[in-house]
């Protein structure tokens, strides 16, 4: 559990620091993984299958999110010619 | 007939409404007909009521007509009601008649003016307010009329509003009288809180019962009422507005600032005389104010060069006489002088207007001269009116009224020789300035040609007023000369007689004689300085002392300068300091705080994902912290 | 549960994750991420969840990382991007996020320490149990995730479309092309929708 917390925090740090969209997505994956780890650990603690079931859902969700996210990254790259997250800041103000 | 009393203020008010709304779209004749006609109706009704009163006076000497209850709050229940006793009867009659004369005059005088209907509307509103003031039965209703006449005075002084100077003069009048009005209002608060009513008769009754003579409450209340009277009647120290009020049309000056409005203060004090009798210090103050004012204004009048300003200072001075009379307890003498003053002062203003119009709006008397033959009506009007003003013995009204005042100043138990001497000096000054005016305008070399001849509507009022200025005094002739105390007797039911001191050094006749000598002295001086040996006058004026005195008196004994430095400049300085409204800066500060917060928050909405993620994380951290520590 | 294996795998996971978020080259980061995921799979096996461990490797490390790599390949960034990345990533930018992350960790650990975490039970949960749970009480979850996957499929297909890659279908899908022309692509339209909704 502590490990999960540490990994999650690392994911957060990565998310906040990096401006490259790909790295942001990677950090999100890290976080999701950490969350899944937490679930499984808890499930193992109580010797129930529920934790693993949750992990499966998280996995499915992560997969779909990654695919859509990467598609968006492609579109963004074609739009702005860069992968900088700050380039897509037209909704400011 | 008495039931018609309420029509006296209502008819002018109704005609004001008509003139104000519809009048500007109707012909001049219609406007004049309505404007003058309403006052004529007013006068007719006043005459009818007077006749009824004299034939069969109502019980108790007073008739009260209640219209409705105005306010009903707890114990404060003033009514809209009119009170008719001999005092208000005489005032109503004089005011309505003089107003009618002046309205008739102005029907022709203002004929070329664009604001014809506006003028008559304001004048009618003024008459309505003045009647309200005179006939009011409670002090609140009187205050309503008081404010109404103040408003009309403002509107009419600034009648030719296109010229800023007129507006400024109107503002000055309004503000200075406002100071007096505030004192009046505070006096009303005091009276109500201590005596529980504002109904005049009831008030006087309770005051006489509850307050001993000389009680501090009575002194304070009457002093506050005196403050109001001083403001409205242009006495020391609030007299500075009246000379500048001459910026208004001449009929206005005649009606408001000579015959009627400025006497409202006199009326107030006469009406509440019980209160003043209960407060001898205040009454002495009234006399002193009157005496000082009449001297001060008389001196200023001697050096003025604008024809209307001379008459304005003369008005201030004559009302000083009325105040002097009130102060020594000669109540009916003050009203007598009011009546005669209304006649001759209105006459003087009307003929002054005639001269001004004939010379194409020329006001400077040093540019006039030799008009004796060209304007006979004006000349005789001035002579008769001026003599009445100065008190030409035996044949003018002013002589009788002024002498009554002077005699009672000496002989009354509240009078004193000092005040009597002041009055005498005033007679000399009065005679000096009015004859100076006459000599400068009508004698000597002609400097300007007459270009305008008056019509019957101007000549008739002047003739009527001339007659009245001569005959008006015969209603009260002193003992030695014929003993006709009709006027005083008439007023006896409303105003008490002045108590006489015993064993006085001079008799009434002697006082009259001395007054006649002062009059003659003034006339002689005027003749000498301004007709015969004008070089002497000039050398006096050009000497260093003479120049200084001239300047000092010309500027109204420096009062304008004093007020300017004492009040106007500090207020302006403070307004300047407050230019950015530092009191308001609190609210501006709030708005700025809002703006700053907005700016700060705006930077967080920059569309950058990293920022938003950081925000979410920080929020999570905080949230967890809260969870952990509670 | 094998404690040593757990700690070694945990250490590897942490180290590689740190390396992931600090690399300048995207491909390197991805490879480290893959290693991190595999070590987490080891931990899963250690916790008695073999089925999940396998799933982790196949789906997470297998397809998701590969997907990332494909995208990087398609983007064809080159050396320039790596240099730009180096300029963006300066040490002082780490302060804030590191602080936030540290506080987060501290709080989570504190929570965990306060909580009631006994020693994990040492038995294995077989795939059969998981399957039974999935098709039993969690049936709705399964249906929903299938819908989610369907939506993701369609979305990714549609979003990944752009003019240059499919020239021969322009006649048929002219409306898409025009929308790309005028609207500037679904990304713009997407943000427009978002703006409208907001």
């Amino acid at each position: 559990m502590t490990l999960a917390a540490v990994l999650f925090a690392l994911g957060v740090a990565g998310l906040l620091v990096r401006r490259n969209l790909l790295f942001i997505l990677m950090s999100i994956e890290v976080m999701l993984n950490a969350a899944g780890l937490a679930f499984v650990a808890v499930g193992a603690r109580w010797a129930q299958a529920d934790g693993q079931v949750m992990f499966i859902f998280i996995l499915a969700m992560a997969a779909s999110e990654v695919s859509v996210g990467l598609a968006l990254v492609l579109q963004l790259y074609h739009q702005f010619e860069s992968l900088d997250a700050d380039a897509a800041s037209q909704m400011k103000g | 007939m008495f039931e018609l009393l309420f029509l006296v203020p209502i008819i002018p008010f109704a005609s004001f409404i008509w003139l104000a709304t519809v009048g500007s779209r109707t012909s001049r004749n219609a406007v004049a007909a309505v404007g003058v006609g309403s006052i004529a109706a007013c006068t007719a009704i006043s005459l009818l009521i007077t006749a009824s009163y004299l034939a069969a006076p109502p019980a108790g000497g007073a008739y009260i007509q209640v219209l409705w209850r105005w306010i009903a709050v707890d114990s404060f229940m003033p009514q809209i009601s009119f009170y008719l006793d001999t005092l208000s009867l005489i005032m109503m009659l004089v005011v309505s008649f003089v107003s009618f004369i002046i309205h008739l005059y102005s029907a022709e005088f203002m004929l070329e003016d664009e604001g014809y209907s506006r003028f008559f509307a304001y004048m009618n509103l003024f008459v309505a307010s003045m009647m309200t003031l005179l006939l009011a039965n409670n002090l609140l209703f009187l205050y309503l009329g008081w404010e109404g006449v103040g408003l009309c005075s403002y509107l009419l002084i600034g009648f030719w509003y296109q010229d800023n100077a007129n507006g400024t003069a109107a503002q000055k009048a309004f503000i200075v009288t406002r100071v007096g009005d505030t004192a009046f209002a505070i006096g009303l608060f005091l009276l109500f809180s201590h005596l529980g009513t504002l109904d005049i008769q009831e008030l006087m009754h309770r005051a006489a019962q509850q307050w001993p003579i000389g009680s501090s409450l009575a002194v304070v209340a009457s002093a506050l009422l005196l403050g109001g009277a001083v403001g409205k009647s242009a006495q020391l120290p609030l007299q500075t507005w009246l000379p500048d009020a001459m910026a208004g049309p001449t009929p206005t000056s005649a009606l408001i600032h000579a015959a009627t409005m400025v006497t409202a203060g006199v009326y107030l004090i006469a009406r509440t005389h019980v209160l003043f009798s209960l407060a001898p210090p205040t009454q002495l103050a009234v006399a002193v104010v009157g005496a000082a004012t009449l001297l001060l204004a008389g001196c200023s009048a001697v050096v003025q060069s604008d024809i209307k300003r001379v008459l304005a200072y003369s008005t201030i001075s004559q009302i000083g006489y009325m105040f002097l009379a009130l102060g020594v307890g000669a109540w009916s003498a003050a009203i007598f002088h009011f009546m005669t003053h209304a006649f001759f002062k209105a006459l003087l203003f009307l003929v002054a207007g005639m001269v001004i119009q004939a010379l194409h709006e020329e006001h400077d008397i040093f540019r006039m001269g030799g008009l004796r033959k060209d304007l006979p009506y004006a000349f005789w009007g001035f002579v008769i009116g001026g003599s009445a003003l100065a008190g030409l013995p035996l044949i003018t009204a002013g002589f009788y009224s002024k002498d009554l005042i002077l005699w009672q100043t000496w002989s009354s138990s509240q009078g004193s020789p000092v005040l009597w001497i002041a009055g005498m000096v005033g007679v000399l000054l009065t005679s000096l300035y009015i004859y100076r005016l006459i000599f400068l305008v009508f004698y000597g070399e002609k400097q300007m040609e007459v270009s305008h001849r008056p019509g019957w509507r101007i000549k008739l009022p002047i003739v009527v007023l001339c007659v009245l200025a001569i005959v008006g005094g015969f209603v009260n002739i002193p003992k030695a000369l014929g003993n006709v105390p009709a006027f005083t007797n008439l007023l006896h039911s409303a105003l008490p007689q002045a108590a006489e001191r015993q064993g006085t050094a001079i008799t009434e006749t002697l006082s009259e004689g001395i007054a006649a000598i002062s009059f003659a002295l003034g006339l002689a001086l005027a003749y000498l300085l301004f007709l015969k040996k004008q070089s002497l006058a000039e050398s006096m004026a050009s000497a260093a002392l003479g120049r200084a005195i001239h300047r000092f008196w010309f500027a109204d004994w420096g009062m304008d300068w004093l007020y300017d430095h004492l009040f106007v400049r500090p207020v302006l300085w403070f307004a300047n300091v407050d230019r950015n409204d530092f009191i308001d800066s609190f609210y501006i500060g709030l708005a700025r705080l809002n703006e700053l917060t907005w700016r700060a928050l705006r930077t967080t909405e920059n569309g950058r994902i990293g920022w938003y993620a950081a925000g979410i994380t920080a929020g999570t951290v905080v949230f967890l912290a809260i969870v952990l520590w509670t | 549960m094998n404690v040593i294996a757990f700690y070694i795998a945990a250490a590897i996971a942490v180290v590689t994750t740190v390396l992931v978020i600090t690399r300048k080259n995207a491909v390197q980061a991805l490879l480290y991420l893959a290693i991190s995921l595999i070590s987490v799979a080891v931990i899963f096996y250690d916790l008695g969840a073999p089925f999940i461990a396998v799933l982790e490797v196949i789906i997470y490390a297998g397809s998701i990382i590969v997907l990332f790599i494909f995208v990087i390949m398609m983007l064809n960034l080159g050396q320039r991007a790596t240099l730009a990345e180096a300029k963006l990533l300066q040490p002082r930018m780490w302060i804030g996020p590191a602080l936030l992350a540290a506080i987060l960790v501290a709080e989570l650990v504190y929570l965990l320490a306060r909580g009631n975490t006994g020693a994990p039970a040492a038995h294995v949960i077989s795939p059969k149990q998981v399957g039974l749970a999935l098709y039993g009480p969690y049936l709705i979850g399964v249906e929903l995730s299938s819908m989610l996957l369907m939506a993701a499929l369609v979305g990714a297909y549609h979003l990944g479309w752009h003019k240059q890659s499919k020239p021969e279908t322009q006649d048929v899908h002219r409306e898409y092309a025009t929308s790309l022309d005028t609207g500037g692509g679904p990304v713009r339209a997407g943000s427009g929708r978002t703006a409208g909704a907001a």
Side-chain angles (χ1 to χ4, degrees):
Chain A
M1 283 300 289
T2 316
L3 176 66
V6 171
L7 284 178
F8 186 82
L10 285 172
V12 167
L15 175 68
L16 296 177
V17 168
R18 312 286 324 217
R19 277 162 63 177
N20 192 333
L21 280 171
L22 288 170
F23 279 93
I24 291 178
L25 282 172
M26 275 188 246
S27 309
I28 294 176
E29 292 312 308
V30 167
M31 289 200 283
L32 283 169
N33 189 36
L37 174 61
F39 269 109
V40 171
V42 169
R45 157 82 180 85
W46 293 102
Q48 288 178 338
D50 297 348
Q52 300 189 17
V53 166
M54 279 312 301
F55 183 81
I56 292 178
F57 290 144
I58 291 176
L59 196 57
M61 190 227 87
S64 49
E65 170 251 329
V66 161
S67 51
V68 173
L70 286 171
L72 283 173
V73 167
L74 278 176
Q75 281 296 339
L76 222 117
Y77 183 71
H78 281 296
Q79 194 66 37
F80 292 108
E81 295 305 319
S82 95
L83 283 175
D84 191 352
D86 287 346
S89 61
Q90 283 176 358
M91 280 184 73
K92 60 185 165 203
Chain B
M1 276 306 139
F2 292 138
E3 309 78 49
L4 297 176
L5 187 60
F6 76 98
L7 285 176
V8 172
I10 290 289
I11 292 180
F13 190 72
S15 91
F16 155 71
I17 301 275
W18 187 87
L19 285 165
T21 51
V22 183
S24 53
R25 279 168 278 178
T26 54
S27 73
R28 304 239 150 164
N29 284 336
V31 168
V34 171
V36 180
S38 68
I39 311 297
C42 209
T43 313
I45 296 178
S46 312
L47 282 168
L48 278 172
I49 294 179
T50 312
S52 314
Y53 190 96
L54 289 175
Y63 169 73
I64 300 179
Q65 184 179 41
V66 179
L67 289 185
W68 70 84
R69 178 163 309 225
W70 188 4
I71 304 171
V73 174
D74 225 8
S75 65
F76 180 58
M77 293 182 288
Q79 301 166 314
I80 303 284
S81 69
F82 299 116
Y83 182 78
L84 185 74
D85 65 352
T86 44
L87 174 61
S88 46
L89 183 76
I90 289 178
M91 307 266 324
M92 175 181 77
L93 190 61
V94 172
V95 167
S96 63
F97 187 73
V98 174
S99 306
F100 168 59
I101 294 280
I102 294 177
H103 274 75
L104 186 63
Y105 174 93
S106 42
E108 180 174 328
F109 190 80
M110 299 292 292
L111 205 51
E112 276 118 43
D113 201 288
E114 281 193 44
Y116 199 62
S117 62
R118 187 162 59 101
F119 179 78
F120 274 100
Y122 291 157
M123 293 284 269
N124 276 12
L125 181 64
F126 167 79
V127 175
S129 309
M130 190 71 198
M131 288 305 175
T132 308
L133 195 157
L134 292 174
L135 294 170
N137 191 19
N138 61 60
L139 284 176
L140 192 65
F141 197 33
L142 192 147
Y143 195 61
L144 176 70
W146 190 273
E147 294 296 325
V149 297
L151 170 70
C152 293
S153 167
Y154 168 79
L155 290 171
L156 283 164
I157 294 173
F159 184 70
W160 292 309
Y161 56 86
Q162 285 88 354
D163 185 355
N164 277 344
N166 297 339
T168 313
Q171 277 177 350
K172 183 175 176 182
F174 195 76
I175 292 173
V176 174
T177 48
R178 199 92 202 99
V179 174
D181 294 349
T182 313
F184 189 4
I186 297 177
L188 288 184
F189 299 154
L190 192 75
L191 284 171
F192 181 70
S193 66
H194 283 275
L195 295 175
T197 178
L198 285 178
D199 188 280
I200 296 183
Q201 304 309 312
E202 188 56 37
L203 191 69
M204 296 297 119
H205 189 62
R206 287 191 201 179
Q209 275 184 335
Q210 292 178 14
W211 290 347
I213 296 188
S215 85
S216 51
L217 278 173
V219 171
V220 173
S222 53
L224 288 168
L225 290 183
L226 174 63
V230 159
K232 193 66 88 183
S233 296
Q235 298 296 290
L236 215 65
L238 294 174
Q239 89 285 9
T240 50
W241 64 271
L242 192 54
D244 289 331
M246 296 298 116
T250 308
T252 306
S253 307
L255 183 59
I256 299 184
H257 305 125
T260 45
M261 188 186 88
V262 289
T263 55
V266 177
Y267 172 73
L268 177 69
I269 297 181
R271 203 17 117 212
T272 56
H273 67 270
V274 172
L275 203 59
F276 282 86
S277 305
L278 290 173
T282 318
Q283 206 171 6
L284 183 63
V286 173
V288 170
V289 161
T293 311
L294 72 92
L295 285 176
L296 193 138
C299 291
S300 296
V302 173
V303 298
Q304 295 299 317
S305 63
D306 181 331
I307 190 172
K308 280 173 75 174
R309 278 180 91 98
V310 175
L311 296 176
Y313 280 107
S314 167
T315 307
I316 299 176
S317 179
Q318 293 304 304
I319 299 178
Y321 270 103
M322 294 182 218
F323 267 61
L324 179 63
L326 292 170
V328 299
W331 313 105
S332 43
I335 304 299
F336 186 32
H337 195 58
F338 150 74
M339 187 175 83
T340 58
H341 175 260
F343 297 146
F344 57 69
K345 194 45 70 66
L347 172 63
L348 282 171
F349 266 105
L350 294 187
V351 292
M354 186 200 263
V355 170
I356 291 173
Q357 215 180 36
L359 293 179
H360 263 305
E361 308 301 322
E362 177 59 61
H363 283 233
D364 191 343
I365 55 178
F366 290 106
R367 310 244 300 257
M368 305 176 189
L371 296 172
R372 202 163 71 248
K373 297 286 188 303
D374 292 331
L375 292 173
Y377 277 90
F379 174 63
W380 284 107
F382 252 106
V383 167
I384 294 176
S387 307
L389 171 62
L392 184 67
L394 294 180
I395 54 166
T396 56
F399 167 71
Y400 292 106
S401 60
K402 201 181 288 192
D403 272 8
L404 188 59
I405 292 179
L406 289 170
W407 166 240
Q408 301 214 308
T409 310
W410 176 274
S411 68
S412 155
S413 56
Q414 286 164 303
S416 85
V418 176
L419 295 172
W420 179 85
I421 292 176
M424 281 301 168
V425 174
V427 171
L428 186 125
L429 285 171
T430 308
S431 149
L432 177 61
Y433 65 66
I434 196 67
Y435 284 111
R436 164 183 179 262
L437 189 66
I438 293 175
F439 292 144
L440 280 175
V441 172
F442 292 100
Y443 286 81
E445 291 173 28
K446 203 195 293 194
Q447 296 181 48
M448 288 183 73
E449 282 300 327
V450 169
S451 59
H452 186 99
R453 300 285 169 178
W456 72 270
R457 283 178 293 185
I458 288 187
K459 289 185 191 162
L460 179 62
I462 291 181
V463 169
V464 170
L465 285 174
C466 283
V467 170
L468 281 172
I470 294 175
V471 172
F474 293 153
V475 291
N476 204 44
I477 305 179
K479 282 199 274 280
L481 297 168
N483 199 20
V484 180
F487 195 82
T488 322
N489 284 347
L490 183 63
L491 277 178
H492 189 58
S493 58
L495 298 171
Q497 290 275 40
E500 286 214 5
R501 270 188 314 185
Q502 300 304 323
T504 53
I506 54 175
T507 64
E508 194 170 352
T509 323
L510 194 57
S511 163
E512 283 156 25
I514 296 177
I517 294 174
S518 311
F519 164 79
L521 206 60
L523 172 58
L525 261 173
Y527 183 74
L528 187 69
L529 288 173
F530 298 106
L531 201 57
K532 272 291 177 216
K533 267 184 157 184
Q534 277 163 335
S535 52
L536 184 61
E538 268 148 41
S539 62
M540 274 172 70
S542 48
L545 181 66
R547 249 210 318 271
I549 293 180
H550 187 278
R551 252 211 321 270
F552 191 51
W553 287 356
F554 191 80
D556 192 14
W557 293 61
M559 296 224 69
D560 274 334
W561 178 92
L562 184 70
Y563 286 145
D564 183 44
H565 278 77
L566 208 56
F567 296 116
V568 176
R569 279 172 201 232
V571 171
L572 284 179
W573 170 83
F574 187 68
N576 223 5
V577 164
D578 193 36
R579 196 192 311 177
N580 294 322
D581 207 357
F582 62 86
I583 304 276
D584 200 29
S585 61
F586 173 65
Y587 298 103
I588 297 178
L590 279 180
R592 287 212 58 88
L593 190 68
N594 207 4
E595 194 185 334
L596 280 173
T597 319
W598 166 72
R599 277 190 204 283
L601 287 175
R602 191 170 175 248
T603 53
T604 65
E605 200 178 333
N606 52 13
R608 289 157 60 180
I609 315 178
W611 265 100
Y612 296 161
I616 296 173
T617 317
T620 317
V621 166
V622 169
F623 187 64
L624 282 176
I626 293 173
V627 166
L628 283 180
W629 271 288
T630 51
Chain C
M1 182 178 116
N2 198 340
V3 179
I4 302 176
F6 170 75
Y7 276 113
I8 295 174
I12 297 176
V14 172
V15 168
T16 48
T17 310
V18 171
L19 288 171
V20 165
I21 60 180
T22 55
R23 290 305 98 193
K24 298 184 192 53
N25 192 339
V27 180
Q28 283 181 1
L30 281 169
L31 293 175
Y32 280 120
L33 184 60
I35 299 175
S36 171
L37 293 171
I38 293 172
S39 57
V40 169
V42 169
I43 295 173
F44 283 155
Y45 187 80
D46 195 37
L47 284 175
F51 178 55
I52 296 298
V54 171
L55 270 184
E56 171 98 358
V57 175
I58 296 175
I59 299 176
Y60 229 124
S63 45
I64 292 179
I65 303 294
V66 169
L67 197 58
F68 263 104
I69 295 181
F70 273 142
V71 168
I72 293 176
M73 213 172 65
M74 276 170 68
L75 286 178
N76 210 3
L77 292 169
Q79 197 62 16
R80 196 172 40 87
T82 320
L83 286 172
E85 198 67 32
K87 239 189 306 200
L88 284 173
L89 201 66
Q90 285 154 347
R92 65 179 171 84
M93 293 186 68
W94 278 97
I95 301 174
L99 194 66
L100 273 176
I103 297 175
L104 195 59
V105 166
E107 284 176 347
L108 288 170
V109 168
Y110 181 70
L111 269 174
L112 290 170
R114 225 173 48 169
N116 174 10
T117 52
H123 59 261
V124 175
I125 299 173
S126 66
K128 180 167 168 199
Q129 277 176 291
V130 176
L132 280 173
L134 270 180
Y135 282 93
Y138 289 103
L139 190 58
I140 288 189
V142 175
E143 300 302 324
L144 286 174
S145 358
S146 68
M147 274 195 268
L148 178 66
L149 288 168
M150 181 69 196
L153 179 69
V154 171
Y157 173 73
H158 182 73
L159 287 172
W161 193 295
H162 68 97
K163 226 167 36 171
Q164 283 95 335
S165 68
K166 302 258 190 227
E168 65 270 22
T169 53
Q170 244 175 15
D171 327 335
V172 182
H173 301 283
R174 204 192 300 277
E175 51 192 6
Y176 289 107
T178 44
S179 76
L180 280 172
D181 267 334
T182 55
V187 174
R188 273 276 178 76
S191 56
R193 272 204 297 277
T194 320

